[in-house]
Amino acid sequence: MTEPPGPERRRFLRTLGALTGAVTLGTTAGCKSPGSDAAASGAAGAEFGGRTITSAAVLPKPFTVPLPIPPVKRPSRSTSGTDYYDVTAREASVEILPGLRTTIMGYDGIFPGPTIAARRGRRTVLRYRNQLGVPTVVHLHGGHTPPESDGFPTDLVLPATGGARFADQAVGGTATTGTRDYTYPLDQRAATLWYHDHRMGFTGPQVWRGLAGFLLLTDDEEQALPLPRGDCDIPLMITDRAFDADGAFNYPSMDTHLSAMPGVDAAHMAGAAGDVVLVNGAPWPELEVDAARYRFRVLNASNARRYELALDPEPPSGTPFTQIGSDQGLLAAPLQHSVLPIAPAERFDVVVDFSRYPVGTRVTLTNRAGRGGTSRVMRFVVTRRAPDDSRIPARLSTVEALSTASARTRPWMFRKGKIANMGANTAGWVVNGREFDPRRVDAAPRLGEVEIWRLATDAYHPVHIHLSPFQVLSRNGGPIDPGDHGWKDTIDLRPKQYADVAIRFDDHAGRYLLHCHNLEHEDMAMMATFQTTR
């Protein structure tokens, strides 16, 4: 029998109940809110379900600041098989909008956090210190990770000072004070991974304030390919934010101190989005490029916003994007795209050939799902001719097709629904009709066995599954989307859609999550726990 929610969760549910009359969640039209980009966008599939927050700050003109590249973290110590990294979460005052200061929560005090460059088979230990005033949890998104290091949302790292007052928030989890070691075996394919906060009920505001960074994993197979590298291999973390007049982040938290009351205000329960697009923490930046091929590791780290990325102008010949990798590494063969739809937490590894443009061309990375400021992302300026010995092979990797001949099908429904213990009129975000309870296990798949998970939705829900990657088999019983190929860990599901994915959990027995990666949905109980068994 499931125990009743703890005191913090009960306070959250009471507030949710009080707000129910002010908001309708999860409409079949994609949860559009008045004033959302969705309402004005004519692009098919452009809705993302959230509401855009208007900044009060004076915003810079686009393409007036250079693209920053997150620094690569050096190990504090290495042994024959392990690299150790010391990372500290702390507040810092940084310049994001020119001339204004923004207080962030940052790994090592920067946003994005430092990039960890790792190699397959070398164990990575993240020695994490929390110098913030609130609990945190670190999740390596896409990591094939033991359960004790996966970042379960109530496995809290309490503040080094005054952390005892948050101890009761570790419901169904464990709490450490000040520090925690996260061990990542990284025995998995080369891929663009990222790490971010995963605290129950507060993931949205804590990622919004800056707790996100890249972990780039390579291996011998990838290194043997003649792909662009060095200065032509660039990670792009795309986020959207809104700012107060003084430069502070504007996020609609119920509790601006992030201490006790989870969730957002009624107007943003379907998802919070900003009117400023940041790339690697800079607003609408510009990058000078050679007339050569560039590899871009594109991550949508926004809370709720979907993007439809395109190049303007398109190259005079050929398609704009050659996709070489997905969430979980290299594709079997490259794919061509004119537009890249990308949902929160998805990654696309693409090559853009700027040699197709005349020197001096300004190429804008646009967002066809946005309007106004959110219709532009960044700009490239083709500055010079340069030698380029890179190429894109016709064959990139071997992608094992999972056999589903004897697989069981397990249904997961992501939808609006009633919140238990709150009465008949309380709406929220639920999985299979139940809100998240960190003490409940909803499924127990066996290690080594392939299952088909049917992920169904009422609205836009980017669904993420922890521990192991999956392969998309079909959408609504028909063909997969162009962006579904390869190994995935997050899938962009549209309203009234279902997708069948094949998944096999390996190696690690324990508790893991699947959840919506619209962070406002996640914070408002749209998660479920599964426990892998031997």
Side-chain angles (χ1 to χ4, degrees):
M1 181 174 180
T2 301
E3 299 177 31
E8 299 298 337
R9 195 68 179 158
R10 285 198 297 271
R11 283 196 287 273
F12 167 52
L13 294 175
R14 283 197 295 271
T15 300
L16 183 60
L19 291 171
T20 299
V23 64
T24 300
L25 298 177
T27 66
T28 57
C31 315
K32 290 187 287 188
S33 303
S36 72
D37 287 357
S41 175
E47 302 96 327
F48 65 93
R51 169 175 287 192
T52 299
I53 305 163
T54 301
S55 293
V58 176
L59 302 180
K61 292 182 179 179
F63 322 132
T64 55
V65 300
L67 174 75
I69 307 297
V72 175
K73 182 82 172 176
R74 294 179 64 87
S76 56
R77 182 169 69 92
S78 294
T79 66
S80 59
T82 303
D83 295 316
Y84 297 84
Y85 293 88
D86 293 314
V87 173
T88 300
R90 59 182 176 86
E91 285 194 350
S93 177
V94 303
E95 184 176 273
I96 297 176
L97 302 180
L100 295 174
R101 307 298 293 184
T102 302
T103 298
I104 67 164
M105 292 178 170
Y107 296 116
D108 286 353
I110 59 175
F111 167 54
T115 295
I116 296 174
R119 193 170 188 90
R120 180 175 186 171
R122 281 195 63 81
R123 191 175 69 142
T124 291
V125 177
L126 185 69
R127 294 191 150 170
Y128 174 70
R129 180 174 296 276
N130 180 13
Q131 290 186 350
L132 298 166
V134 295
T136 57
V137 176
V138 180
H139 169 55
L140 178 59
H141 186 117
H144 188 64
T145 303
E148 61 272 13
S149 291
D150 187 60
F152 194 77
T154 55
D155 283 345
L156 303 178
V157 184
L158 304 178
T161 302
R165 67 190 181 100
F166 298 107
D168 68 341
Q169 294 184 14
V171 178
T174 62
T176 62
T177 298
T179 62
R180 189 181 190 115
D181 281 1
Y182 292 91
T183 300
Y184 305 131
L186 297 181
D187 186 14
Q188 57 187 105
R189 305 172 77 238
T192 298
L193 311 180
W194 63 300
Y195 61 101
H196 61 80
D197 189 71
H198 214 294
R199 177 190 171 199
M200 188 177 81
F202 294 92
T203 298
Q206 294 186 182
V207 171
W208 185 281
R209 295 191 191 190
L211 290 177
F214 283 103
L215 189 151
L216 305 182
L217 180 63
T218 190
D219 61 12
D220 292 344
E221 179 186 49
E222 180 188 61
Q223 288 293 303
L225 297 175
L227 299 170
R229 61 186 65 209
D231 291 342
C232 293
D233 181 354
I234 299 175
L236 300 178
M237 180 185 289
I238 302 174
T239 60
D240 59 337
R241 299 290 186 264
F243 297 86
D244 291 332
D246 62 357
F249 283 133
N250 182 348
Y251 182 84
S253 295
M254 291 299 297
D255 176 0
T256 58
H257 299 291
L258 310 184
S259 60
M261 177 60 70
V264 294
D265 65 23
H268 298 91
M269 286 184 178
D275 60 350
V276 179
V277 177
L278 307 177
V279 186
N280 294 349
W284 302 290
E286 182 176 88
L287 176 67
E288 293 186 354
V289 296
D290 294 338
R293 295 181 189 87
Y294 279 72
R295 177 182 183 176
F296 295 110
R297 301 166 183 265
V298 184
L299 159 65
N300 181 357
S302 300
N303 281 32
R305 183 181 296 280
R306 299 173 67 255
Y307 299 84
E308 293 182 1
L309 302 177
L311 295 180
D312 182 20
E314 293 189 352
S317 62
T319 51
F321 304 108
T322 300
Q323 183 188 359
I324 59 172
S326 188
D327 297 339
Q328 288 282 328
L330 293 169
L331 301 177
L335 295 173
Q336 304 299 319
H337 299 280
S338 295
V339 180
L340 279 179
I342 182 168
E346 283 191 302
R347 286 90 69 210
F348 281 87
D349 202 338
V350 299
V351 173
V352 176
D353 188 355
F354 290 107
S355 70
R356 294 174 176 171
Y357 293 97
V359 170
T361 305
R362 288 170 166 78
V363 183
T364 302
L365 182 63
T366 65
N367 171 28
R368 294 185 180 178
R371 63 172 179 173
T374 62
S375 67
R376 294 166 290 189
V377 177
M378 64 176 293
R379 187 168 71 180
F380 307 100
V381 181
V382 185
T383 58
R384 66 189 74 80
R385 292 288 169 192
D388 182 9
D389 59 359
S390 71
R391 62 183 178 87
I392 305 172
R395 178 187 176 279
L396 296 166
S397 181
T398 300
V399 177
E400 171 200 8
L402 294 178
S403 173
T404 59
S406 59
R408 65 168 292 177
T409 297
R410 196 183 296 272
W412 300 97
M413 180 66 195
F414 291 75
R415 61 183 297 274
K416 65 179 180 179
K418 299 298 192 302
I419 298 294
N421 305 312
M422 284 302 302
N425 296 317
T426 301
W429 297 109
V430 295
V431 181
N432 286 349
R434 307 174 82 180
E435 78 273 16
F436 178 63
D437 184 331
R439 294 156 297 195
R440 188 185 70 238
V441 172
D442 295 298
R446 293 180 62 86
L447 294 175
E449 294 184 357
V450 177
E451 294 192 352
I452 297 172
W453 285 19
R454 177 162 292 177
L455 311 172
T457 64
D458 63 342
Y460 274 101
H461 296 299
V463 175
H464 171 47
I465 302 174
H466 287 215
L467 180 58
S468 289
F470 56 79
Q471 294 172 352
V472 185
L473 302 175
S474 64
R475 286 180 181 260
N476 285 351
I480 65 175
D481 280 359
D484 289 340
H485 292 272
W487 288 105
K488 299 279 291 175
D489 58 47
T490 306
I491 182 170
D492 179 17
L493 290 172
R494 296 184 290 277
K496 289 189 173 180
Q497 186 177 62
Y498 74 88
D500 285 346
V501 306
I503 192 162
R504 182 186 64 214
F505 299 105
D506 293 313
D507 301 323
H508 305 299
R511 289 189 311 173
Y512 294 93
L513 289 177
L514 76 156
H515 60 88
C516 179
H517 220 285
N518 176 320
L519 299 185
E520 284 68 50
H521 295 187
E522 175 184 331
D523 282 347
M524 309 208 21
M526 196 170 239
M527 298 190 288
T529 301
F530 63 92
Q531 183 157 344
T532 54
T533 62
R534 298 191 186 279

